[in-house]
């Protein structure tokens, strides 16, 4: 299926590694020009170089989106680059439960997951309005609707992401801009593998990911699809929502979670 994305210009935040990097590469495969964002120049450049090596167009922008000034600099670069698809993938998380989380952690979670996206949205929506076309895709989490007891502040922040995206879609009615959320379930990334490997080591046993994965699926993330998710699963959903054929999909929370989230 031709997603009709050729020539679109995209900013994917936090795309120097993990899910964001895979999203950037997928959009480049759809012939988008991609602005790779991160805070580590070497890693962001590696992703951009990989896109260019495959014949795509990519540039790098660096900056901490939790800081007003740095985020404004990223946004200014994106505006001058002509971004018409914004993928807000940045979303830091730390494991906290109700007994350990401090008020400052709640503020950090909201700043990193919600306000960082708001900073870019506020800067990039006006030129999208002028062009009469745009896509805003915010990356949420299954935790938004099924709060995780070990990530209480993160879960609340992701719920706010879903809520604000729906409100944004209504605010942008008639503008040619859509706003949607993609909420991944349990996605196998380097960081996720490391988290479970570290837990195993803390329990006095060292197990490889190949040994741990069946246990994680059975105990941590049993789902109707019978497997854990991949970054490619998320990237495919993002690419479709970014496309012109998805223009009648607006204000939704698309859960890419294998069916693990209970239906309300």
């Amino acid at each position: 299926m031709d997603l009709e994305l050729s020539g679109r210009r995209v900013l994917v935040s936090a795309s120097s590694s993990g899910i964001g990097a895979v999203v950037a590469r997928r959009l480049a495969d759809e012939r988008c020009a991609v602005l790779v964002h991160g805070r580590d120049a070497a890693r962001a450049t590696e992703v951009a170089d990989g896109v260019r090596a495959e014949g795509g167009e990519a540039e790098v922008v660096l900056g901490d989106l939790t800081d007003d000034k740095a985020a404004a600099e990223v946004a200014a670069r994106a505006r001058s680059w002509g971004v018409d698809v914004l993928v807000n993938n940045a979303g830091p998380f730390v494991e906290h439960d109700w007994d350990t989380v401090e008020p400052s952690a709640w503020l950090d979670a909201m700043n990193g997951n919600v306000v960082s996206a708001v900073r870019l949205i506020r800067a990039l929506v006006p030129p999208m309005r002028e062009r009469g076309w745009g896509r805003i895709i915010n990356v949420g989490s299954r935790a938004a609707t099924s709060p995780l007891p070990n990530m209480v502040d993160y879960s609340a922040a992701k719920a706010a992401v879903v809520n604000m995206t729906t409100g944004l879609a209504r605010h942008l009615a008639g503008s040619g801009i859509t706003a949607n959320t993609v909420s991944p379930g349990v996605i196998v990334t380097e960081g996720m593998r490391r988290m479970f490997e570290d837990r195993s080591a803390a329990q006095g046993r060292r197990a490889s990911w190949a040994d741990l994965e069946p246990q994680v699926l059975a105990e941590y993330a049993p789902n109707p699809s019978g497997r854990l998710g991949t970054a490619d699963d998320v990237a495919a959903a993002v690419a479709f929502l970014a496309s012109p054929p998805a223009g009648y999909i607006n204000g939704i929370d698309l859960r890419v979670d294998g069916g693990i989230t209970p239906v309300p």
Side-chain angles (χ1 to χ4, degrees):
M1 177 180 180
D2 180 7
L3 293 182
E4 302 173 21
L5 281 167
S6 180
R8 298 294 182 185
R9 304 183 77 78
V10 182
L11 168 63
V12 183
S13 71
S15 51
S16 60
S17 63
I19 291 173
V22 176
V23 170
R25 287 192 288 266
R26 175 59 187 266
L27 290 169
D29 288 344
E30 297 292 340
R31 301 183 301 281
C32 294
V34 180
L35 191 56
V36 177
H37 164 263
R39 291 184 290 180
D40 184 297
R43 292 197 300 174
T45 299
E46 182 179 3
V47 174
D49 286 346
V51 169
R52 290 191 285 261
E54 295 295 323
E57 181 181 353
E59 298 292 340
V60 169
V61 62
L62 302 175
D64 181 357
L65 299 180
T66 66
D67 176 80
D68 284 338
K69 181 178 179 182
E73 292 171 355
V74 172
R77 174 74 185 284
R79 283 180 66 127
S80 66
W81 208 63
V83 163
D84 48 16
V85 177
L86 169 62
V87 182
N88 281 309
N89 172 66
F93 69 89
V94 180
E95 289 193 89
H96 293 129
D97 60 26
W98 273 102
D99 294 325
T100 61
V101 65
E102 298 290 339
S104 60
W106 291 91
L107 292 173
D108 289 342
M110 290 297 292
N111 190 23
N113 287 276
V114 182
V115 184
S116 62
V118 169
R119 291 182 178 103
L120 295 180
I121 291 167
R122 284 174 54 84
L124 296 180
V125 158
M128 290 182 189
R129 279 186 182 275
E130 291 174 7
R131 291 189 291 268
W133 194 92
R135 296 286 186 265
I136 297 169
I137 301 163
N138 296 322
V139 177
S141 168
R142 72 181 180 107
T145 47
S146 296
L148 302 175
N150 62 323
M151 296 181 186
V152 294
D153 46 339
Y154 172 80
S155 298
K158 287 304 188 184
V161 169
V162 172
N163 183 284
M164 79 167 186
T165 306
T166 303
L168 178 63
R170 294 174 178 174
H171 172 70
L172 295 173
S175 67
I177 308 167
T178 64
N180 291 292
T181 306
V182 170
S183 286
V186 181
I187 306 298
V188 179
T189 63
E190 180 181 347
M192 185 260 209
R193 288 193 295 266
R194 187 168 55 249
M195 180 176 72
F196 281 98
E197 289 166 353
D198 289 347
R199 285 183 183 179
S200 176
Q203 294 167 359
R205 60 189 183 94
R206 292 196 173 275
S208 68
W209 175 249
D211 294 327
L212 288 170
E213 185 169 7
Q215 179 183 348
V216 172
L217 176 60
E219 299 177 5
Y220 182 78
N223 66 81
S225 296
R227 67 173 176 86
L228 300 177
T230 69
D232 287 325
D233 294 322
V234 180
V238 170
F240 178 65
L241 289 177
S243 71
Y248 198 57
I249 301 173
N250 205 0
I252 69 161
D253 178 20
L254 176 58
R255 296 194 298 268
V256 184
D257 63 2
I260 194 173
T261 304
V263 177

